[in-house]
Amino acid sequence: MPTTSPGLLDLPLKLDGPGSQAQRLLAALRAAILGGRLAAGLRLPSSRALATQLGLRRNAVVTAYEQLLEEGLAEGRRGAGTYVAARLPRGPAETAPPPALSLPGQIPFALGRTLPDAALLGHFSRLLRQQLKNPSAEHFGYGDPRGSLALRQAIAVHLAASRGVVCDPARILLTSGTQQGLRLCAEALLAPGDAAWIEDPGYPTARRILSAAGARLVPVPVDAAGIDVAAGIACEPGARLAYVTPSHQFPTGAAMAMARRLALLDWAQSAGAYVLEDDYDSEFRYAGPPLPALAGIDGGGRVIYLGTFSKTLFAGLRIGFAVLPPALLERVVAARLLTDRFPPSLTAGALAGVIAGGFYAAHLRRMRPRYRAARDLLAATLAQASAGWLRPAVPGQGLHLLTPLPAGLPPGSAAAIRAAAGVEGWLLSDTRMAPAEPDGFVLGFSGHPPAALKRAAQRLGAATAAACRETGLRRPG
């Protein structure tokens, strides 16, 4: 038998978060239902009674109730009012152990997550056991600051075949990931006050690393052809370096046009500058061959190529790499010696076997269709659940998509919508240095179970539609 409530809700609700009245009430009610503080089958107060009790507009309560109905957290009974759903939808919050809820990256649409691949993990486990059973002498002393030669050789073969980057393994430096590679290069290259081009919008962590190294950041606009080299030259022709994501610009997804690539290399050569190429997820291209790396067409030794296995395998592996121009090798290696001296050799040896044995390439072939399906599910669900207010840009490669909000929403709407939907992901405004409109969402689709991804997309789409209706925007055609 369903329980009933009096005309007032005998439960404190926290309504001091961001967003409109409807969004704040929705977030509070959703949390109370999923947290068990509002029991299944409980009759909710009428919209008029709850509005009076909480000091809200009645239409805000009606909007929040409608959204709860759409999400399956409430059910309406003709002539009897609105009730907490008798059978609540099961989601990650109900099935995951409590500690997991506080860990970063557990909620859609967190970026940088990957799905476990049993076949790949089996090969990696076997090779790791072999490393322990027949340990190399390199495990028992202080090694080369560049890291395992076997892994550097395997990476060189992989880059030549898949990215068109031909390099001597001696020029490869193993790192704990792209961030460490970027930091070491910045320390070796920059003096306080040196100018550095940075894509705008662009990767916020790269901004922070370059700023910490003393760089004077120069935001350079990005369009459908990638970074606007002419604009960068007009603003700061004597910059010491440029940080770019040419194969899959973060966050827009644009691929840098060949004319822009050549212009960037010409500028770097004439200015004596270096280009930091962050090739963070180029392995996941869903149509056509991989785009050529900028380092593959660099004939002047001006490109530093940064790669990582965090996006292709799993972040906990903590292995990335930098391909360094000969002129920089000694300086960057010296910077490495002053930090963590040399990278771990045990996991590097196992990873070298994974790549050389063809298991890495097979893993990528298995994962591409899974991530492509996740991309398509997310894009379709967002468009449908938002009634067309969200029109995601479906990328041809990568592990995230960008979906802008309609123009005309008040400032702060994107953060309020995200909070109301209970999802992660970045705001487009988080990636910008120069303020611009409209805002939007940068949503990771890899590494999340399809059912959880769809539910989160439904919530985000519905929260967006509610915000647009409340603002009075004209429905998209």
Side-chain angles (χ1 to χ4, degrees), residues 194-200 216-221 231-232 235-236 239 433:
D194 282 349
W197 290 4
I198 189 88
E199 297 170 323
D200 191 22
R216 176 169 54 85
L217 299 183
V218 180
V220 181
C235 185
E236 187 61 63
M433 292 186 67

Side-chain angles (χ1 to χ4, degrees), residues 145 180 183-184 187-188 330-342:
Q180 186 187 35
R183 181 175 59 80
L184 290 173
E187 289 178 1
E330 185 175 345
R331 272 186 282 172
V332 178
V333 168
R336 175 57 172 279
L337 283 168
L338 294 176
T339 54
D340 58 349
R341 192 155 181 174
F342 71 102

Side-chain angles (χ1 to χ4, degrees), residues 64-459:
Y65 277 9
E66 289 176 346
Q67 181 59 33
L68 290 175
L69 293 169
E70 288 187 25
E71 294 180 8
L73 297 178
E75 55 190 31
R77 302 178 188 176
R78 185 179 297 275
T82 304
Y83 292 76
V84 177
R87 298 185 62 182
L88 295 176
R90 297 184 61 81
E94 296 179 80
T95 58
L101 297 179
S102 64
L103 293 176
Q106 299 297 311
I107 305 172
F109 305 97
L111 277 70
R113 290 184 59 80
T114 58
L115 292 173
D117 177 5
L120 183 282
L121 292 175
H123 292 305
F124 190 85
S125 176
R126 175 176 56 80
L127 291 165
L128 193 58
R129 289 196 302 271
Q130 288 179 4
Q131 291 282 314
L132 292 169
K133 185 176 181 179
N134 301 297
S136 167
E138 68 176 335
H139 302 330
F140 300 93
Y142 291 91
D144 190 322
R146 293 169 297 180
S148 161
L149 176 59
L151 180 53
R152 289 188 283 122
Q153 290 172 330
I155 290 172
V157 172
H158 170 71
L159 290 178
S162 65
R163 306 298 293 126
V165 178
V166 178
C167 64
D168 187 332
R171 293 200 290 116
I172 297 177
L173 175 80
L174 300 184
T175 66
S176 64
T178 299
Q179 292 184 26
Q180 186 187 35
L182 178 56
R183 181 175 59 80
L184 290 173
C185 292
E187 289 178 1
L189 278 171
L190 295 173
D194 282 349
W197 290 4
I198 189 88
E199 297 170 323
D200 191 22
Y203 186 39
T205 302
R207 291 203 305 260
R208 291 191 289 269
I209 291 173
L210 294 176
S211 292
R216 176 169 54 85
L217 299 183
V218 180
V220 181
V222 171
D223 58 24
I227 192 170
D228 188 339
V229 179
I233 294 173
C235 185
E236 187 61 63
R240 180 67 173 147
L241 62 83
Y243 170 86
V244 294
T245 51
S247 293
H248 185 229
Q249 201 277 329
F250 186 90
T252 67
M256 190 184 295
M258 183 57 69
R260 292 274 179 90
R261 294 173 183 238
L262 296 176
L264 182 62
L265 293 175
D266 287 345
W267 163 77
Q269 189 68 43
S270 61
Y274 286 95
V275 177
L276 285 159
E277 178 181 14
D278 186 348
D279 202 28
Y280 61 102
D281 65 1
S282 62
E283 288 88 353
F284 294 110
R285 182 163 176 80
Y286 305 117
L291 299 171
L294 190 64
I297 60 173
D298 171 31
R302 310 312 303 180
V303 176
I304 302 165
Y305 181 93
L306 302 175
T308 180
F309 293 99
S310 294
K311 306 294 190 299
T312 53
L313 297 178
F314 48 95
L317 187 61
R318 307 312 306 140
I319 296 181
F321 58 92
V323 181
L324 302 166
L328 290 182
L329 183 61
E330 185 175 345
R331 272 186 282 172
V332 178
V333 168
R336 175 57 172 279
L337 283 168
L338 294 176
T339 54
D340 58 349
R341 192 155 181 174
F342 71 102
S345 58
L346 186 65
T347 51
L351 180 56
V354 166
I355 298 173
F359 308 125
Y360 180 63
H363 163 76
L364 295 178
R365 289 194 296 271
R366 285 191 297 271
M367 302 312 289
R368 284 189 192 105
R370 298 180 67 180
Y371 292 150
R372 180 175 58 240
R375 175 203 66 178
D376 295 344
L377 173 65
L378 174 57
T381 305
L382 285 173
Q384 181 181 29
S386 68
W389 289 106
L390 292 178
R391 299 180 178 182
V394 181
Q397 72 177 59
L399 303 174
H400 75 269
L401 61 75
L402 172 65
T403 180
L405 283 167
L409 287 171
S413 293
I417 291 169
R418 181 178 61 181
V423 299
E424 289 195 6
W426 288 4
L427 304 182
L428 179 56
S429 54
D430 294 337
T431 71
R432 289 173 169 149
M433 292 186 67
E437 294 293 338
D439 207 342
F441 306 106
V442 184
L443 306 175
F445 53 77
S446 64
H448 301 290
L453 196 67
K454 183 172 184 178
R455 287 194 298 269
Q458 289 170 335
R459 295 198 303 271

Side-chain angles (χ1 to χ4, degrees), residues 16-75:
D16 57 352
S20 66
Q21 288 185 356
Q23 290 166 339
R24 296 198 303 270
L25 177 60
L26 172 62
L29 289 173
R30 182 192 291 120
I33 293 171
L34 293 176
R37 292 182 293 131
L38 288 176
L42 177 73
R43 184 175 185 270
L44 296 173
S46 69
S47 58
R48 188 184 304 277
L50 189 57
T52 300
Q53 177 186 355
L54 300 177
L56 303 177
R57 295 191 305 273
R58 185 185 178 192
N59 66 343
V61 179
V62 171
T63 299
Y65 277 9
E66 289 176 346
Q67 181 59 33
L68 290 175
L69 293 169
E70 288 187 25
E71 294 180 8
L73 297 178
E75 55 190 31

